[in-house]
Amino acid sequence: MKLYRRILGQPFIYDHIRPLVVGRIDWSPLYRNLDAGPRDIILDVGCGTGVAHQYLTGFAAYYGFDTDDIALASARKKTAAANVHYECRIVTPADIERIAPTRIVLAGLLHHLSDDDSLGLLRMCAMAPSVRRIATSDVVYLQRKHVSNLLAFLDRGKFVRRHEPYLDLVRKAGLRIVREEIVRSHPTSGRALYLMMTLEPPTQ
């Protein structure tokens, strides 16, 4: 299983082979939820191979953080621009204060983090005065969805949860759930199901 997860983490496998298994992946709903515009500063935590730039149409600045240097190397090749920045490390409260993001993307991230780490990250987002919206997307275990649950089990993430525990983490962090929905990885051919959440600080 460890070897399988390492192979799945390679950029070419993730971008080109994985969709043959789970179905072509369409992240449009996630980025519609983010609702970013040309004046927004976007923080993408767990940015991976730079998939976000297939969907973002305009922004003032973009900051991608990931701990996978191979994935980041692939992202840098795809999206070289003066207002795009990548860092190979875990994001910190000091980073959020420095960047002052207005929109935060947590795409396929929470199911890679323990409850404590997820809660810590979500609380950082909730406490940042600049943040206006957070969009998340994660594989999820669902009743009677056997194919999707198998794909979730095979995912590299070690902390895939059922629906309600994801919502509990958000509530404990003090964030407001504007929208939560179960979305197929692709509207016509997707085999995997994702929980997508649109979140805002409680003062919004």
Side-chain angles (χ1 to χ4, degrees):
M1 182 62 75
K2 288 183 178 180
L3 177 60
Y4 167 81
R5 293 179 191 277
R6 286 179 61 189
I7 292 171
L8 188 59
Q10 297 301 310
F12 178 82
I13 300 294
Y14 187 87
D15 289 344
H16 300 287
I17 305 301
R18 180 173 175 265
L20 299 178
V21 178
V22 303
R24 192 159 59 90
I25 301 174
D26 179 8
W27 295 114
S28 297
L30 174 70
Y31 290 95
R32 281 198 299 270
N33 291 344
L34 188 67
D35 193 29
R39 296 184 180 181
D40 281 306
I41 298 172
I42 298 170
L43 172 61
D44 190 351
V45 185
C47 61
T49 60
V51 171
H53 297 284
Q54 298 176 28
Y55 300 93
L56 294 171
T57 57
F59 47 82
Y62 169 96
Y63 294 83
F65 281 73
D66 205 294
T67 57
D68 186 335
D69 57 346
I70 297 175
L72 281 180
S74 178
R76 289 188 177 104
K77 289 178 183 177
K78 295 176 185 174
T79 52
N83 64 341
V84 174
H85 314 273
Y86 290 107
E87 298 200 38
C88 188
R89 57 187 177 82
I90 294 172
V91 70
T92 68
D95 293 318
I96 294 180
E97 182 178 1
R98 169 177 58 86
I99 294 169
T102 57
R103 311 280 170 174
I104 297 180
V105 185
L106 307 178
L109 179 64
L110 296 179
H111 70 276
H112 288 273
L113 303 178
S114 68
D115 283 1
D116 287 345
D117 288 341
S118 295
L119 192 55
L121 175 60
L122 290 168
R123 281 176 173 161
M124 277 197 293
C125 297
M127 294 172 63
S130 61
V131 174
R132 296 292 175 265
R133 176 161 290 189
I134 302 156
T136 79
S137 178
D138 285 280
V139 288
V140 57
Y141 291 130
L142 299 163
Q143 288 188 349
R144 296 185 294 276
K145 301 297 182 180
H146 305 300
V147 173
S148 180
N149 289 346
L150 175 60
L151 294 171
F153 175 76
L154 294 173
D155 192 277
R156 286 192 303 153
K158 297 179 180 179
F159 300 97
V160 179
R161 302 169 177 89
R162 296 187 181 276
H163 190 160
E164 193 61 32
Y166 283 113
L167 304 183
D168 286 343
L169 286 171
V170 170
R171 296 185 187 109
K172 288 178 182 177
L175 289 162
R176 183 166 61 91
I177 301 171
V178 177
R179 180 182 177 87
E180 51 98 0
E181 57 185 333
I182 301 298
V183 177
R184 293 177 67 186
S185 53
H186 187 275
T188 59
S189 61
R191 301 182 184 94
L193 296 171
Y194 290 81
L195 170 63
M196 293 194 179
M197 296 184 287
T198 306
L199 314 174
E200 291 180 354
T203 56
Q204 290 283 33

